[in-house]
Coordinates of all heavy atoms in Angstrom, one line a residue:
S672 N 23.6 186.7 -1.9 CA 22.6 185.7 -1.9 C 21.7 185.7 -0.6 O 20.6 185.2 -0.6 CB 23.3 184.3 -2.0 OG 24.0 183.9 -0.9
D673 N 22.2 186.3 0.4 CA 21.4 186.5 1.6 C 20.6 187.8 1.6 O 20.0 188.2 2.6 CB 22.3 186.5 2.9 CG 22.7 185.1 3.3 OD1 22.0 184.1 2.8 OD2 23.7 185.0 4.0
G674 N 20.6 188.6 0.5 CA 19.8 189.7 0.3 C 20.4 191.1 0.6 O 19.8 192.1 0.6
F675 N 21.7 191.1 0.9 CA 22.4 192.3 1.2 C 22.9 193.0 -0.1 O 23.2 192.3 -1.1 CB 23.6 192.1 2.1 CG 23.3 191.6 3.5 CD1 23.4 190.3 3.8 CD2 22.9 192.5 4.4 CE1 23.0 189.8 5.0 CE2 22.5 192.0 5.7 CZ 22.6 190.7 6.0
Q676 N 22.9 194.3 -0.1 CA 23.5 195.1 -1.1 C 25.0 195.2 -0.8 O 25.3 195.5 0.4 CB 22.9 196.5 -1.2 CG 23.4 197.4 -2.3 CD 22.8 198.7 -2.4 OE1 21.8 199.0 -1.6 NE2 23.3 199.6 -3.2
V677 N 25.8 194.9 -1.8 CA 27.3 194.9 -1.5 C 28.1 195.7 -2.4 O 27.8 195.7 -3.6 CB 27.8 193.4 -1.6 CG1 29.3 193.3 -1.4 CG2 27.1 192.5 -0.6
S678 N 29.0 196.5 -1.9 CA 30.0 197.2 -2.6 C 31.4 196.7 -2.2 O 31.5 196.2 -1.1 CB 30.0 198.7 -2.4 OG 28.8 199.3 -2.8
T679 N 32.3 196.7 -3.1 CA 33.7 196.2 -2.8 C 34.7 197.3 -3.1 O 34.5 198.2 -3.9 CB 34.0 195.0 -3.6 OG1 33.9 195.3 -5.0 CG2 33.0 193.8 -3.3
A680 N 35.8 197.1 -2.4 CA 37.0 198.0 -2.6 C 38.2 197.2 -2.3 O 38.2 196.3 -1.4 CB 36.9 199.2 -1.6
G681 N 39.3 197.4 -3.0 CA 40.5 196.7 -2.9 C 41.6 197.5 -2.1 O 42.6 196.9 -1.8
T682 N 41.3 198.8 -1.9 CA 42.3 199.6 -1.2 C 41.6 200.6 -0.3 O 40.3 200.7 -0.4 CB 43.1 200.5 -2.2 OG1 42.2 201.4 -2.8 CG2 43.9 199.6 -3.2
G683 N 42.3 201.2 0.6 CA 41.7 202.2 1.5 C 41.1 203.4 0.7 O 40.0 203.9 1.0
A684 N 41.8 203.8 -0.3 CA 41.4 204.9 -1.2 C 40.0 204.6 -1.8 O 39.1 205.4 -1.9 CB 42.4 205.3 -2.2
E685 N 39.9 203.4 -2.4 CA 38.7 202.9 -3.0 C 37.6 202.8 -1.9 O 36.4 203.2 -2.2 CB 38.8 201.6 -3.6 CG 39.7 201.6 -4.9 CD 40.0 200.2 -5.4 OE1 39.4 199.2 -4.9 OE2 40.7 200.1 -6.4

Side-chain angles (χ1 to χ4, degrees):
S672 70
D673 284 338
F675 294 99
Q676 181 179 354
V677 176
S678 293
T679 59
T682 65
E685 291 175 4

